[in-house]
Amino acid sequence: MTDKLILNEDRFFDPDPKIRKVARELYEGVKDLPIISPHGHIDPRWFAENKPFPDPAELIVTPDHYVFRMLHSQGIRLESLGIPTVDGSPVEQDRREIWQLFADNFYLFLGTPTGIWLNHEFSQVFGVKEKLNGKSAQRIYEQIQEKLQSPDFLPRALFDRFNIEAISTTDGAADSLEHHETIRKSGWNAKIVPSFRPDGVVNHLHTDIWRQNIKDLGRASGMDIGSYAAYIRALEKRREFFKSRGATSTDHAVLVPYTHELTSGEVNGIFQRALKGRATGDDDAPRFTAHMLMELARMSIEDGLVMQIHPGSYRGHNEMVMKKFGPDKGGDIPIQTEYTFNLHELLNRYGNDPRLTLVIFNLDESTNSRELAPLAGHYPAVKLGPPWWFFDSVEGMTRFRQSVIETAGFYNTVGFNDDTRAFASIPARHDLSRRVDSNFLAGLVTRHVIDLDEAQSLSRALAYDLAKETYRL
Amino acid sequence: MTDKLILNEDRFFDPDPKIRKVARELYEGVKDLPIISPHGHIDPRWFAENKPFPDPAELIVTPDHYVFRMLHSQGIRLESLGIPTVDGSPVEQDRREIWQLFADNFYLFLGTPTGIWLNHEFSQVFGVKEKLNGKSAQRIYEQIQEKLQSPDFLPRALFDRFNIEAISTTDGAADSLEHHETIRKSGWNAKIVPSFRPDGVVNHLHTDIWRQNIKDLGRASGMDIGSYAAYIRALEKRREFFKSRGATSTDHAVLVPYTHELTSGEVNGIFQRALKGRATGDDDAPRFTAHMLMELARMSIEDGLVMQIHPGSYRGHNEMVMKKFGPDKGGDIPIQTEYTFNLHELLNRYGNDPRLTLVIFNLDESTNSRELAPLAGHYPAVKLGPPWWFFDSVEGMTRFRQSVIETAGFYNTVGFNDDTRAFASIPARHDLSRRVDSNFLAGLVTRHVIDLDEAQSLSRALAYDLAKETYRL
Amino acid sequence: MTDKLILNEDRFFDPDPKIRKVARELYEGVKDLPIISPHGHIDPRWFAENKPFPDPAELIVTPDHYVFRMLHSQGIRLESLGIPTVDGSPVEQDRREIWQLFADNFYLFLGTPTGIWLNHEFSQVFGVKEKLNGKSAQRIYEQIQEKLQSPDFLPRALFDRFNIEAISTTDGAADSLEHHETIRKSGWNAKIVPSFRPDGVVNHLHTDIWRQNIKDLGRASGMDIGSYAAYIRALEKRREFFKSRGATSTDHAVLVPYTHELTSGEVNGIFQRALKGRATGDDDAPRFTAHMLMELARMSIEDGLVMQIHPGSYRGHNEMVMKKFGPDKGGDIPIQTEYTFNLHELLNRYGNDPRLTLVIFNLDESTNSRELAPLAGHYPAVKLGPPWWFFDSVEGMTRFRQSVIETAGFYNTVGFNDDTRAFASIPARHDLSRRVDSNFLAGLVTRHVIDLDEAQSLSRALAYDLAKETYRL
């Protein structure tokens, strides 16, 4: 029983000596490339304020639903992990207790990407030299805690050390982007740009939350949104504002990627009903979202923002968790997704237009070879986003490449996104991706599908060029 | 052309020397562990009576739909294989003829798990030393036949020799469990427990068969089932009886895993219509089943029986076979299955309750990474059953691990089930599973995803601990 | 950076030395077997006329939608590739320009089967010794162009050199088969047979095109098709004619493989409405197709033609491409497909009949292990076609074997189809298939699932015997 935490230099490479040799060589060529992170969820405030992260539990456990959903699945209560409640009812406050509980159950992450990322983070970011478990828990807590108080572990210092060339946050339509502005004016030379994610004013227009969001959008855009036309103008203004702050992309989470343009009468009618709180959730709301995907594609063609779609997640599937702890708490479950029919109208209207870049993310692997690769391998606008969420893993990324490259080629994919709220895991995620891609390419080289020099060129494209070029960063 | 039947010691392990070395080491650690068999279909009567199995054809060919469906698919008539007809019309009776036909076509099983299990069974259980084919057929028949007459091959002797620590049969709601009782009283120290499978009184309540089953349930529970409330009480009484006979689990086959609680008025209405033979098959029956899954989960929370669901098989797809030869004759075909929406109501009501263990089996692999692993990786109640039926194979088990572990972890799975009617194949099935899991873990070790000592602990969990603990055996 | 085009002798084999050794040995045993090509789209006119292929661009780029869909996906306009327009509006005519554009972008095919086939074709058919790229483009153009003018590269000479034992074209119900007849009478001893594909008179009966097709069918069969009964008789006559010209199979492309026999009144009503141009596209047309699949199965039982179904492609998804350039231009996208329910009626009526051979092709991989392998592993009539279209690739063919063989066995599959319009790619496609199958079998041998002699027998079956026997060629 070894208790040392050692990251093997050949980790995630096939043990076959020929594949491993080529994988190493490819990996050597990309491991030190700067990080391009065109889609993620870090909080720009951290970098605007540049205050120390408070403690290991708050840095690593409580903000990361990848971590606590697994603990929850084994019957560990979210309260005991210190996850804050919506109504402020009390939860565990003792950070060392939370950390101990996490450490006691860290074996649950064996074989998971979360386990891989955390071990990388412990070892490479914090210099931890022993495995996390119940016995080592408090020693490791202290070691990380000590580091977090030093200047080298302030957010900006870590950002620089992580070699991040450009990163995009995800921001609501009414966001002031004040933190981005603070960063820009601070003289610190880091590229942290926003992306425009108007879900709150596009989806669920039958809810009170939507109406509140419309008010916020009106305020942010300096307009009175009393009509659909005003709403569209407000969105366009906000997109311009985001662009002026460096944004190069938008993002849209939808349950179903259905696209359909309504008539002017239909959409005005729905919008007016919604403003009065009379829109329906099972008819008006999905039709409006379908229509807005058409409008948002049109806007992207006009203003050049790359359009991203993240469909297929049933958000808040666990209503108890949603109600008690809020959104993004691990209770989102994928659903079967259909693209060929749903995207038909959008692609027929805009899919041949070279000005549109539509990056599709996916949680339903059965569509990869059946629908997405053929769509990306034909329509000029369509590009495939990297393996998302449950698929950002050794096996998941490998399956993605195996199922899409033969039909879509490499150049209709867009490199890697880390898509994370866990800032300190960013290097781990990019490293894992670079290793898995190196290994995948090494498999092609050793089976003589491509040559080594071709693999080297592709390796760099996957690790750096494609993300930078696609997202215009 | 070699005709010798030799089981290679490294079978099913990757040929890469590093992987193979680790796989061997892991397999060595688990190969002799006792067998826990928490879900299967052996007949308890065999062990109550302990009479010799009649002959090779009746032991191996005629009861095993894995065997004769393949022969049927190549145009071999079920009559010529001696499969008994429902109406008693004549079928082949000459056991040697049946065996010869089976042997002549044994090459059809090349590359299939059935082929693997049978060769293991021939070699390890019966000491056969040559491959089965048309030429060797009668020699092997005689060899097995001779063994079957000896005391060492009586059902109980084989059970002991197979090193089975605990096995669960599958029994209807009205079953007397007399054979279990006979076994228990016999002084033979073997753990053969029933499990409660009330499909006959839960599904298809629009049929005459259901009404007959309700009468049987009434008789078995000593109640007059004239109302839904009486029906529920009868089920609860039967569950108590099953528990008193050692049962630790229930099992439910449903076409679609839709869950929905009806109002008291609705369910009473449906039940009364059904008693009168006026319930509908396309509306009442599926709604009643959906409601009953809710009720059965509630009962499991109350009485502690582990709840299993086996959804997604279109039973009796081949109506000719169903009508002529009865159910479970190889004509059951899987359908596309949906879990995220269908289980929503059950999981929101009971899924966070630590008292519920819900083991889900699956025939639609596309749901493994998309729905099942995320559900198991979040809800405390949900555990994933092992690869079922068409997936209980080298590639099937490997794909299962590759598609679920990264999201659900190892500890939201439940080890292995042999799920078989073919008693003599039980050691072969567990051995195959242990080999495939050893190989899978060896792949993780050699790619440095986990360490060897972690793999050893997981290996034991998959081969023994998880099944024993989950099923409370 | 190597610019030499070299096909490694071990290409597509696993680098593991044990697997590679066995794969080589298996491949050696099948690589020189004659080609059986029971389903494809070459033009019989080429062989009837035996004129030189005009130039490299017209041979390789403009007829092959695998090639130009990928170029289109990267924003290269089809006009600039010389793809002819429906209305005759001008497109690029300079063959060297087209070739240059293709060569400049040949890197897009890295890792794709199209890239593999083209390199094989360049190297083995045309003796090209350098890689195709922008610099080598014109040299290679000239080299191929020169070859095409020589007698050794006439269609019949290539056919003989490719060692094609039998090939089936795909022909409409009203086709005169004159080119097949010309070939037959020419004294050239090559087996080029038609197959009967009546899609134009079976699908979309609500369109003017269908009505035109019915007139053509009437003319071809010498009948006046004024009734459904006449239509059926006409089809039967045409099938007899096709058989007399050597046909052994039929083929049916359907969006959804729904099968359902209509009553005589229903089908007559639909047919009469259709003749008058009053049938509906969303109701009459799919019901008629479902009914016709039943009728066509009946005809196959009666006349012995092997029945093929190619379901699940949304043809003409990109309407701009469809309208401007016509069908089969890369804008066909697969859809989710369902077989268990859809084929239920057909299989219950005819699936146990040993006279029917129903070969199913598939574009939805999720159905392979879930529905198709179980259906093929049970019903005598059902056989699984080889990986089609987007799956005719290293990974695609490997996944197909991994997902179906364990349930369906090898003998419910039908060997390989090249399914191509690109004549010069035929040897490449069969060679790739033989290599991938050799490698797959070598994996089974080295993991001791099957023995080497069993693998050799299977290898030959997959490369030659199964196609020849199933299609009765």
Side-chain angles (χ1 to χ4, degrees):
Chain A
M1 187 74 178
T2 170
D3 285 332
K4 286 194 189 155
L5 176 59
I6 296 164
L7 305 188
N8 190 289
E9 294 199 349
D10 288 324
R11 61 195 184 277
F12 321 131
F13 296 156
D14 196 288
D16 177 87
K18 281 191 210 154
I19 298 179
R20 185 162 285 192
K21 184 168 174 293
V22 177
R24 270 182 203 157
E25 188 169 342
L26 294 173
Y27 174 69
E28 279 302 313
V30 298
K31 76 184 170 70
D32 295 325
L33 287 174
I35 285 174
I36 304 286
S37 175
H39 173 72
H41 301 277
I42 60 162
D43 190 342
R45 179 193 296 264
W46 299 332
F47 306 95
E49 298 182 347
N50 202 32
K51 290 183 191 163
F53 292 105
D55 65 80
E58 200 159 322
L59 178 68
I60 290 166
V61 180
T62 52
D64 191 352
H65 58 71
Y66 285 73
V67 170
F68 56 74
R69 70 156 178 81
M70 179 66 92
L71 299 170
H72 176 70
S73 80
Q74 287 281 313
I76 296 166
R77 297 179 68 238
L78 297 180
E79 290 89 341
S80 62
L81 292 163
I83 311 306
T85 49
V86 170
D87 67 0
S89 60
V91 298
E92 180 62 55
Q93 291 300 325
D94 186 326
R95 302 310 173 147
R96 283 174 174 274
E97 280 294 309
I98 293 168
W99 188 259
Q100 186 69 45
L101 188 56
F102 165 56
D104 287 343
N105 291 283
F106 190 61
Y107 71 95
L108 296 174
F109 296 98
L110 284 172
T112 71
T114 302
I116 289 172
W117 298 326
L118 287 168
N119 279 330
H120 179 115
E121 190 175 332
F122 294 153
S123 168
Q124 302 298 296
V125 180
F126 296 107
V128 172
K129 298 206 183 309
E130 59 183 332
K131 286 184 182 176
L132 182 67
N133 53 42
K135 285 186 200 163
S136 64
Q138 296 306 321
R139 282 194 300 276
I140 292 173
Y141 184 94
E142 280 157 28
Q143 185 177 348
I144 295 176
Q145 178 65 343
E146 194 187 313
K147 292 265 165 80
L148 289 179
Q149 307 313 312
S150 78
D152 287 355
F153 287 79
L154 289 175
R156 292 188 185 182
L158 286 176
F159 188 101
D160 291 338
R161 178 173 150 204
F162 290 171
N163 196 19
I164 300 173
E165 180 178 313
I167 198 164
S168 180
T169 61
T170 305
D171 311 273
D175 198 287
S176 69
L177 306 182
E178 59 179 318
H179 302 303
H180 295 86
E181 189 63 2
T182 303
I183 294 166
R184 200 176 62 84
K185 288 185 175 158
S186 74
W188 177 51
N189 185 21
K191 187 160 193 171
I192 301 180
V193 303
S195 78
F196 183 70
R197 183 158 180 168
D199 295 350
V201 294
V202 168
N203 297 333
H204 306 302
L205 96 171
H206 60 294
T207 60
D208 291 343
I209 296 172
W210 180 83
R211 287 192 290 165
Q212 182 55 50
N213 291 340
I214 290 292
K215 282 182 195 147
D216 294 343
L217 174 63
R219 191 158 38 238
S221 58
M223 291 177 60
D224 179 43
I225 301 182
S227 69
Y228 174 71
Y231 164 78
I232 291 295
R233 280 199 306 279
L235 286 176
E236 289 171 341
K237 279 181 75 170
R238 293 303 295 164
R239 293 171 70 108
E240 275 313 304
F241 175 70
F242 271 65
K243 276 185 74 175
S244 75
R245 290 297 186 266
T248 68
S249 65
T250 71
D251 188 22
H252 310 285
V254 288
L255 184 64
V256 175
Y258 175 50
T259 60
H260 175 56
E261 189 161 314
L262 301 173
T263 65
S264 171
E266 287 172 322
V267 71
N268 281 312
I270 290 175
F271 198 83
Q272 289 303 328
R273 276 200 295 285
L275 286 181
K276 289 167 195 147
R278 293 190 204 142
T280 60
D282 56 353
D283 186 32
D284 288 339
R287 291 176 74 218
F288 186 76
T289 300
H291 173 84
M292 285 307 300
L293 287 178
M294 298 294 289
E295 277 293 286
L296 291 161
R298 175 195 56 79
M299 292 180 197
S300 273
I301 284 175
E302 291 177 5
D303 65 17
L305 292 177
V306 170
M307 181 175 183
Q308 299 174 100
I309 305 184
H310 281 88
S313 178
Y314 185 143
R315 308 273 173 173
H317 189 272
N318 191 331
E319 291 165 9
M320 178 281 280
V321 168
M322 182 73 169
K323 199 173 289 180
K324 195 157 188 181
F325 301 96
D328 299 321
K329 292 296 177 292
D332 303 337
I333 307 292
I335 62 168
Q336 210 177 84
T337 302
E338 202 287 333
Y339 294 99
T340 304
F341 290 104
N342 280 322
L343 292 178
H344 181 255
E345 189 167 327
L346 189 148
L347 292 178
N348 269 279
R349 184 77 170 269
Y350 302 118
N352 294 304
D353 193 316
R355 292 171 299 174
L356 179 64
T357 298
L358 176 66
V359 182
I360 303 174
F361 293 79
N362 177 39
L363 293 172
D364 178 354
E365 285 186 299
S366 70
T367 68
N368 279 338
S369 64
R370 182 180 65 216
E371 302 173 43
L372 291 177
L375 287 167
H378 171 69
Y379 281 101
V382 177
K383 305 286 171 237
L384 302 186
W388 177 33
W389 203 332
F390 301 107
F391 304 105
D392 181 9
S393 60
V394 177
E395 299 290 350
M397 292 192 281
T398 302
R399 281 200 302 274
F400 174 78
R401 295 266 170 243
Q402 288 171 333
S403 62
V404 312
I405 294 304
E406 294 184 322
T407 293
F410 286 96
Y411 292 93
N412 286 309
T413 65
V414 304
F416 184 66
N417 287 182
D418 53 69
D419 192 17
T420 189
R421 286 154 221 283
F423 176 57
S425 78
I426 287 178
R429 288 167 187 256
H430 286 262
D431 185 68
L432 179 59
S433 166
R434 290 169 182 189
R435 286 176 177 276
V436 172
D437 280 339
S438 297
N439 192 61
F440 176 75
L441 291 167
L444 296 185
V445 171
T446 53
R447 286 181 291 147
H448 308 288
V449 176
I450 58 176
D451 289 341
L452 181 60
D453 54 356
E454 292 165 341
Q456 281 165 330
S457 163
L458 288 167
S459 181
R460 192 190 149 89
L462 298 180
Y464 182 81
D465 298 333
L466 281 168
K468 190 167 179 175
E469 288 163 18
T470 307
Y471 284 94
R472 302 160 194 183
L473 282 165
Chain B
M1 188 75 179
T2 168
D3 285 331
K4 286 195 189 156
L5 175 60
I6 297 164
L7 304 188
N8 190 288
E9 292 201 349
D10 288 325
R11 62 194 184 277
F12 322 132
F13 297 156
D14 196 288
D16 178 87
K18 282 192 209 154
I19 298 179
R20 185 163 284 192
K21 183 170 174 293
V22 177
R24 271 181 203 158
E25 189 169 344
L26 294 172
Y27 174 69
E28 280 302 313
V30 297
K31 76 183 170 72
D32 295 325
L33 287 174
I35 285 174
I36 304 287
S37 175
H39 174 72
H41 300 277
I42 59 162
D43 189 343
R45 179 194 296 261
W46 299 332
F47 306 96
E49 299 182 347
N50 202 34
K51 290 184 193 163
F53 293 105
D55 65 80
E58 199 160 322
L59 179 68
I60 290 167
V61 180
T62 52
D64 191 351
H65 58 71
Y66 287 73
V67 170
F68 57 73
R69 69 154 180 81
M70 178 68 92
L71 299 171
H72 177 70
S73 80
Q74 288 280 313
I76 297 166
R77 298 179 68 237
L78 297 180
E79 290 88 339
S80 61
L81 292 163
I83 311 305
T85 49
V86 170
D87 66 2
S89 58
V91 298
E92 180 61 57
Q93 291 299 326
D94 186 326
R95 304 307 173 151
R96 283 175 175 273
E97 280 293 308
I98 294 167
W99 187 260
Q100 186 68 45
L101 187 56
F102 165 57
D104 287 342
N105 290 284
F106 191 61
Y107 71 95
L108 296 174
F109 297 99
L110 284 173
T112 71
T114 302
I116 289 172
W117 298 325
L118 287 168
N119 279 329
H120 180 115
E121 190 174 333
F122 294 152
S123 168
Q124 301 298 296
V125 180
F126 295 107
V128 173
K129 297 208 183 310
E130 58 182 332
K131 287 184 182 175
L132 182 67
N133 53 41
K135 284 185 203 164
S136 64
Q138 297 305 323
R139 280 194 301 275
I140 293 175
Y141 184 94
E142 280 157 28
Q143 185 177 350
I144 297 176
Q145 178 66 344
E146 191 188 316
K147 292 265 165 81
L148 288 179
Q149 306 313 313
S150 78
D152 286 356
F153 288 78
L154 289 176
R156 292 188 184 182
L158 285 176
F159 189 100
D160 290 338
R161 177 173 150 202
F162 291 170
N163 196 17
I164 299 172
E165 180 178 315
I167 198 164
S168 180
T169 61
T170 305
D171 311 273
D175 199 286
S176 68
L177 306 182
E178 57 179 318
H179 302 303
H180 295 85
E181 189 63 3
T182 304
I183 294 166
R184 201 176 61 83
K185 288 186 177 159
S186 75
W188 177 50
N189 187 21
K191 188 161 192 170
I192 300 180
V193 302
S195 78
F196 183 71
R197 183 156 180 169
D199 294 349
V201 293
V202 168
N203 297 332
H204 306 302
L205 94 173
H206 59 295
T207 60
D208 291 343
I209 296 172
W210 180 84
R211 286 192 291 167
Q212 181 57 50
N213 291 338
I214 289 293
K215 280 182 197 148
D216 293 344
L217 174 64
R219 192 158 37 238
S221 57
M223 292 177 60
D224 178 43
I225 302 183
S227 70
Y228 174 72
Y231 165 78
I232 291 295
R233 278 200 308 278
L235 286 176
E236 289 171 342
K237 278 181 74 170
R238 294 303 295 164
R239 293 170 68 109
E240 276 312 304
F241 175 69
F242 270 65
K243 275 185 74 174
S244 75
R245 290 296 185 266
T248 68
S249 64
T250 72
D251 188 22
H252 310 285
V254 289
L255 184 65
V256 174
Y258 174 51
T259 59
H260 175 57
E261 188 160 316
L262 300 174
T263 64
S264 171
E266 287 172 321
V267 71
N268 280 312
I270 290 175
F271 198 84
Q272 289 304 326
R273 275 199 296 285
L275 286 182
K276 290 167 194 143
R278 292 189 204 144
T280 61
D282 57 352
D283 186 33
D284 287 339
R287 292 176 73 219
F288 186 75
T289 300
H291 173 84
M292 284 308 298
L293 287 178
M294 297 294 289
E295 277 293 285
L296 292 161
R298 175 194 59 75
M299 292 180 197
S300 272
I301 285 175
E302 291 176 6
D303 65 19
L305 292 177
V306 170
M307 181 176 181
Q308 300 174 97
I309 305 184
H310 282 87
S313 178
Y314 186 142
R315 309 273 172 172
H317 188 273
N318 191 332
E319 291 166 8
M320 178 280 281
V321 168
M322 181 73 168
K323 199 172 291 179
K324 194 156 189 181
F325 301 96
D328 299 320
K329 292 296 177 292
D332 302 338
I333 308 292
I335 62 168
Q336 213 176 84
T337 303
E338 204 286 333
Y339 294 99
T340 304
F341 289 104
N342 280 323
L343 291 178
H344 182 255
E345 190 167 325
L346 188 150
L347 293 177
N348 270 277
R349 184 78 170 269
Y350 303 118
N352 294 305
D353 193 316
R355 292 171 297 174
L356 180 64
T357 297
L358 177 66
V359 181
I360 304 174
F361 293 78
N362 177 39
L363 292 173
D364 178 355
E365 285 187 298
S366 71
T367 67
N368 279 338
S369 65
R370 182 180 64 216
E371 302 172 44
L372 291 177
L375 288 167
H378 171 69
Y379 281 101
V382 178
K383 305 286 172 237
L384 302 186
W388 177 33
W389 203 334
F390 302 106
F391 304 106
D392 181 8
S393 59
V394 177
E395 300 290 349
M397 291 191 281
T398 302
R399 281 200 302 273
F400 174 79
R401 295 265 171 242
Q402 288 171 335
S403 63
V404 312
I405 294 302
E406 294 184 324
T407 292
F410 286 97
Y411 293 92
N412 286 309
T413 64
V414 303
F416 184 67
N417 287 183
D418 53 70
D419 193 16
T420 191
R421 286 158 218 281
F423 176 57
S425 78
I426 288 179
R429 289 168 186 256
H430 286 263
D431 185 68
L432 179 60
S433 167
R434 289 169 183 190
R435 287 177 175 275
V436 171
D437 280 339
S438 295
N439 193 61
F440 176 75
L441 292 167
L444 297 185
V445 170
T446 53
R447 286 180 291 148
H448 307 287
V449 176
I450 58 176
D451 290 340
L452 181 60
D453 54 355
E454 292 165 341
Q456 281 164 331
S457 162
L458 289 168
S459 180
R460 193 190 148 89
L462 298 179
Y464 181 81
D465 297 333
L466 281 168
K468 189 166 179 174
E469 288 164 17
T470 306
Y471 285 93
R472 302 160 194 183
L473 282 165
Chain C
M1 186 74 179
T2 169
D3 285 332
K4 287 195 189 153
L5 176 59
I6 296 165
L7 305 188
N8 190 289
E9 294 200 349
D10 288 326
R11 62 195 184 278
F12 321 132
F13 296 156
D14 197 288
D16 177 87
K18 281 191 210 153
I19 298 178
R20 185 162 285 193
K21 183 168 174 294
V22 177
R24 270 181 203 158
E25 188 169 343
L26 294 172
Y27 174 68
E28 279 301 314
V30 297
K31 75 182 171 70
D32 295 324
L33 287 174
I35 285 175
I36 303 287
S37 175
H39 174 72
H41 300 277
I42 58 163
D43 190 342
R45 179 193 297 263
W46 299 333
F47 306 96
E49 299 182 347
N50 202 32
K51 290 184 191 162
F53 292 106
D55 65 80
E58 199 159 323
L59 179 68
I60 290 166
V61 180
T62 52
D64 190 352
H65 58 70
Y66 286 73
V67 170
F68 57 74
R69 70 156 179 80
M70 178 68 91
L71 300 170
H72 177 69
S73 81
Q74 287 281 313
I76 296 166
R77 299 179 68 238
L78 297 180
E79 290 87 342
S80 62
L81 291 164
I83 311 305
T85 49
V86 170
D87 65 1
S89 59
V91 298
E92 180 61 54
Q93 291 300 326
D94 186 326
R95 303 307 175 150
R96 282 174 175 274
E97 279 295 307
I98 293 167
W99 187 259
Q100 186 68 45
L101 187 56
F102 166 56
D104 287 343
N105 291 283
F106 191 61
Y107 71 95
L108 296 174
F109 297 98
L110 284 172
T112 70
T114 302
I116 289 172
W117 298 325
L118 288 168
N119 278 330
H120 180 114
E121 190 175 332
F122 294 152
S123 169
Q124 301 297 297
V125 180
F126 296 107
V128 173
K129 297 206 183 311
E130 58 183 332
K131 285 184 182 176
L132 181 67
N133 54 41
K135 284 186 202 162
S136 63
Q138 296 306 323
R139 281 194 301 276
I140 292 174
Y141 184 94
E142 281 157 27
Q143 186 176 349
I144 296 176
Q145 178 66 345
E146 193 187 313
K147 292 266 166 79
L148 289 179
Q149 306 314 312
S150 78
D152 286 356
F153 288 78
L154 289 176
R156 292 187 184 181
L158 286 176
F159 188 100
D160 290 338
R161 177 173 150 203
F162 291 171
N163 195 18
I164 299 173
E165 180 178 315
I167 197 165
S168 180
T169 62
T170 305
D171 310 274
D175 198 286
S176 69
L177 306 183
E178 57 178 318
H179 302 303
H180 295 85
E181 188 64 1
T182 304
I183 294 166
R184 201 175 60 84
K185 288 186 176 159
S186 74
W188 177 50
N189 187 21
K191 189 162 192 170
I192 300 181
V193 303
S195 78
F196 184 69
R197 184 157 178 168
D199 295 349
V201 293
V202 168
N203 298 332
H204 307 301
L205 94 174
H206 60 295
T207 60
D208 291 343
I209 296 171
W210 181 83
R211 286 192 291 165
Q212 181 56 50
N213 292 339
I214 290 292
K215 280 182 197 148
D216 294 343
L217 175 64
R219 192 159 34 241
S221 56
M223 291 178 60
D224 178 44
I225 302 183
S227 69
Y228 174 72
Y231 164 78
I232 291 294
R233 279 199 308 277
L235 286 176
E236 289 171 341
K237 277 182 76 169
R238 294 303 294 163
R239 293 170 69 108
E240 276 311 305
F241 175 69
F242 272 65
K243 276 185 73 174
S244 75
R245 289 297 186 267
T248 67
S249 64
T250 72
D251 188 23
H252 310 284
V254 289
L255 184 65
V256 174
Y258 175 50
T259 59
H260 175 56
E261 188 161 315
L262 301 173
T263 64
S264 171
E266 286 172 320
V267 71
N268 281 311
I270 290 176
F271 197 83
Q272 289 302 328
R273 278 200 294 285
L275 285 182
K276 289 167 195 145
R278 292 190 202 141
T280 60
D282 56 354
D283 187 32
D284 287 339
R287 291 175 74 219
F288 185 75
T289 301
H291 173 83
M292 285 307 299
L293 288 178
M294 299 293 290
E295 277 292 288
L296 292 160
R298 175 194 57 76
M299 291 180 197
S300 272
I301 285 175
E302 291 177 6
D303 64 19
L305 292 176
V306 170
M307 182 176 182
Q308 299 175 98
I309 305 184
H310 282 88
S313 178
Y314 186 143
R315 309 273 173 173
H317 188 272
N318 191 332
E319 290 166 8
M320 178 282 279
V321 168
M322 182 72 170
K323 199 173 289 179
K324 196 158 188 179
F325 302 96
D328 299 320
K329 292 296 178 293
D332 302 337
I333 307 293
I335 62 168
Q336 212 176 85
T337 302
E338 203 285 333
Y339 294 99
T340 305
F341 290 104
N342 280 322
L343 291 179
H344 182 256
E345 190 168 325
L346 189 150
L347 293 177
N348 270 277
R349 184 76 170 271
Y350 303 117
N352 294 305
D353 192 316
R355 291 170 298 173
L356 180 64
T357 297
L358 176 65
V359 181
I360 304 174
F361 293 78
N362 178 38
L363 292 172
D364 178 353
E365 284 186 300
S366 70
T367 67
N368 279 338
S369 65
R370 183 180 65 218
E371 302 171 45
L372 291 177
L375 287 168
H378 171 69
Y379 282 102
V382 178
K383 304 288 171 235
L384 302 186
W388 177 32
W389 202 333
F390 302 107
F391 304 105
D392 181 9
S393 60
V394 177
E395 300 289 350
M397 291 191 283
T398 303
R399 282 199 302 273
F400 174 78
R401 295 265 171 244
Q402 288 171 334
S403 62
V404 312
I405 294 303
E406 294 184 323
T407 293
F410 285 97
Y411 292 93
N412 286 308
T413 64
V414 304
F416 185 65
N417 286 182
D418 53 70
D419 192 17
T420 190
R421 284 156 222 284
F423 176 57
S425 77
I426 287 178
R429 289 168 187 254
H430 285 263
D431 185 68
L432 179 60
S433 166
R434 290 170 182 189
R435 287 177 176 275
V436 171
D437 280 338
S438 296
N439 192 60
F440 175 76
L441 292 168
L444 297 185
V445 171
T446 54
R447 287 181 290 147
H448 308 288
V449 177
I450 58 177
D451 289 341
L452 181 60
D453 54 357
E454 291 165 341
Q456 281 165 330
S457 163
L458 290 167
S459 180
R460 191 190 150 89
L462 299 179
Y464 182 81
D465 298 333
L466 282 167
K468 189 166 178 175
E469 288 163 18
T470 306
Y471 284 93
R472 302 160 194 184
L473 282 164

